[in-house]
Amino acid sequence: MLEIGLTHYLLLGAALFAIGLFGAIGKKHVISILLSIELMLNAVNINLLAFSKFLPLSNGAGEIFSIFVIVIAAAEVAIGLAIAIALYRSKGSLDLDKFNLLRW
Amino acid sequence: MMQSIVFFLLAALTLGGALAVINLKNIVHSVLCLIVTFLGVAGIFLTLRADFLAAVQVLVYAGAVSILVIFALLLVNQGDGKMAETNPYSRFGYLGVAAAMLFFGFLSFSLIKTTWQTTGIAAAATSVGEIGVRLLSQYVIAFELAAVLLLVAMVAAIIIGREVKDHA
């Protein structure tokens, strides 16, 4: 049985990030895109913690950075959902194809 | 042996949940699968000996964020009460698949080609006390900035989300 090393964790993070990227580009619903961004932030956290564990001299900095990523993600989702609710109130829909005010 | 079985089980749980988030038609089901993904990521954190981060992941993501998302969803999606087709692909769906595949191919190629100078021995687990001491000594400016950011985000969320008064 093979040993689980740094590359396995990084590949898992890359796969999770790619799935999140697919969702962020390919979905229509505003909240669905927020969910995809959450997936990508989680992938980043996996990478940070894997580096923190496997690389020398990191001295545990990865865990600190992950905490800050989680803080930013919490702020982002709170603002994002508030914007989604405000959008729904003014437009009556959360379909991104209908938000083309800036298109000429 | 045991370690790799646990890793692959958790990775399958995480990636399967993430794919379900993208592919399910009902957006409430998507959020429920997102909770599964978050729990899988928490398990991955445990295999990386980051106990505190795993606990924070469960509390903040699987607990708070997903419940907040479900609240917001049920506030905006009443309409006719039909949730079956609430999570469609946009017309960029195929572009998204292509971009994600290309990105993952490029990343995995370069990851496998790179040889990392790893320690060989796994680093010792960082204790909560150690994280706390570092947050308040070496990273104290970032810590305070994060606190201010959370306050600003809270105020902004309340102001953006509240009912708009008619000024006319």
Side-chain angles (χ1 to χ4, degrees):
Chain A
M1 206 73 182
L2 77 171
E3 187 78 11
I4 298 297
L6 177 58
T7 310
H8 293 85
Y9 284 103
L10 293 186
L11 280 178
L12 172 64
L16 197 56
F17 194 94
I19 293 174
L21 183 66
F22 166 39
I25 296 177
K27 302 299 281 189
K28 219 180 212 179
H29 200 281
V30 171
I31 292 179
S32 183
I33 288 173
L34 270 179
L35 299 187
S36 307
I37 293 174
E38 292 297 317
L39 287 181
M40 289 199 272
L41 288 168
N42 265 289
V44 171
N45 273 345
I46 290 178
N47 270 16
L48 282 175
L49 283 179
F51 278 128
S52 177
K53 180 184 176 190
F54 284 103
L55 290 192
L57 301 177
S58 73
N59 204 7
E63 303 208 9
I64 309 273
F65 285 10
S66 297
I67 292 176
F68 288 122
V69 171
I70 289 177
V71 169
I72 303 294
E76 173 250 328
V77 79
I79 303 259
L81 290 175
I83 290 177
I85 289 176
L87 269 181
Y88 184 79
R89 210 175 266 140
S90 67
K91 288 276 184 180
S93 158
L94 282 182
D95 185 349
L96 274 182
D97 289 346
K98 293 189 179 144
F99 301 138
N100 51 7
L101 281 177
L102 289 182
R103 178 186 277 177
W104 54 283
Chain B
M1 177 69 190
M2 197 64 201
Q3 194 200 4
S4 48
I5 292 175
V6 169
F7 174 79
F8 283 118
L9 276 181
L10 285 174
L13 189 73
T14 306
L15 293 182
L19 280 177
V21 169
I22 307 297
N23 280 318
L24 285 182
K25 291 285 172 228
N26 186 334
I27 196 164
V28 178
H29 294 174
S30 284
V31 182
L32 295 181
C33 286
L34 190 75
I35 298 179
V36 173
T37 306
F38 286 158
L39 292 178
V41 173
I44 292 286
F45 286 178
L46 278 182
T47 68
L48 284 169
R49 298 195 186 183
D51 317 355
F52 178 63
L53 260 295
V56 168
Q57 173 85 10
V58 173
L59 283 176
V60 173
Y61 276 114
V65 167
S66 39
I67 297 303
L68 192 62
V69 173
I70 289 180
F71 258 109
L73 263 182
L74 297 184
L75 276 178
V76 298
N77 246 333
Q78 63 281 49
D80 46 1
K82 275 186 287 189
M83 293 296 252
E85 290 288 330
T86 42
N87 196 11
Y89 288 108
S90 68
R91 60 183 185 282
F92 299 118
Y94 291 110
L95 178 70
V97 174
M101 298 282 254
L102 203 67
F103 183 78
F104 179 67
F106 174 69
L107 264 192
S108 53
F109 176 75
S110 40
L111 279 179
I112 291 170
K113 285 285 175 190
T114 314
T115 47
W116 304 95
Q117 300 211 325
T118 52
T119 43
I121 49 159
T126 324
S127 71
V128 183
E130 207 177 318
I131 292 177
V133 167
R134 270 208 207 125
L135 270 183
L136 287 179
S137 59
Q138 193 180 352
Y139 299 97
V140 64
I141 296 178
F143 180 77
E144 295 295 337
L145 278 178
V148 174
L149 177 85
L150 274 182
L151 178 68
V152 171
M154 191 175 74
V155 173
I158 292 171
I159 289 185
I160 294 173
R162 74 175 177 184
E163 205 162 346
V164 181
K165 292 227 176 72
D166 204 357
H167 288 297

